[in-house]
Amino acid sequence: MIAPDQLSDPTVRAFVTAVNAGDQSAFRAVLTEGATMSDDGSDRDLTQWAEKEIFSCNGYMDVQDESDGGRALVVDYRNDTWGEMRTAWRFTVTGDGRISRFETGQA
């Protein structure tokens, strides 16, 4: 497992830290305005998805591996709704250090 503070990309590190802390303000701060996401290949409304899959059900990311300079993760993700599952995450980070898109799904 890779501790969040050891992740290579500082923006992804901030994202994982915000998710694990349940910190919605920090989560929103790391995203660009109009950021997008997909789950298992289907685009979702990011705000609704984050509330349902992260914040209302205690989402937590245990990072197992990283690649692509820290912008691709393999995560044991758990929440109160689905339990634990192995997931893959890929992040698009802008030049100003914010996430404009992320994609997640079962690994």
Side-chain angles (χ1 to χ4, degrees):
M1 186 172 70
I2 303 171
D5 64 354
Q6 298 299 308
L7 292 170
S8 299
D9 187 281
T11 304
V12 173
R13 183 182 323 133
F15 179 95
V16 172
T17 299
V19 167
N20 288 355
D23 187 336
Q24 294 185 48
S25 295
F27 179 82
R28 285 190 301 272
V30 78
L31 301 172
T32 63
E33 185 173 331
T36 61
M37 61 88 53
S38 71
D39 185 359
D40 282 329
S42 297
D43 279 4
R44 309 282 185 188
D45 178 284
L46 193 154
T47 301
Q48 290 176 354
W49 182 90
E51 177 59 29
K52 181 180 176 192
E53 301 294 339
I54 299 171
F55 298 111
S56 70
C57 59
N58 302 306
Y60 197 87
M61 303 174 79
D62 281 326
V63 179
Q64 301 302 311
D65 193 28
E66 68 174 358
S67 57
D68 191 25
R71 294 184 179 178
L73 305 178
V74 174
V75 172
D76 286 339
Y77 184 77
R78 66 181 179 273
N79 66 30
D80 294 344
T81 302
W82 304 108
E84 186 169 308
M85 66 194 91
R86 178 68 49 109
T87 56
W89 298 71
R90 179 164 292 281
F91 299 90
T92 302
V93 179
T94 63
D96 66 350
R98 296 173 72 202
I99 295 168
S100 61
R101 180 170 177 83
F102 66 89
E103 299 171 356
T104 186
Q106 294 198 35

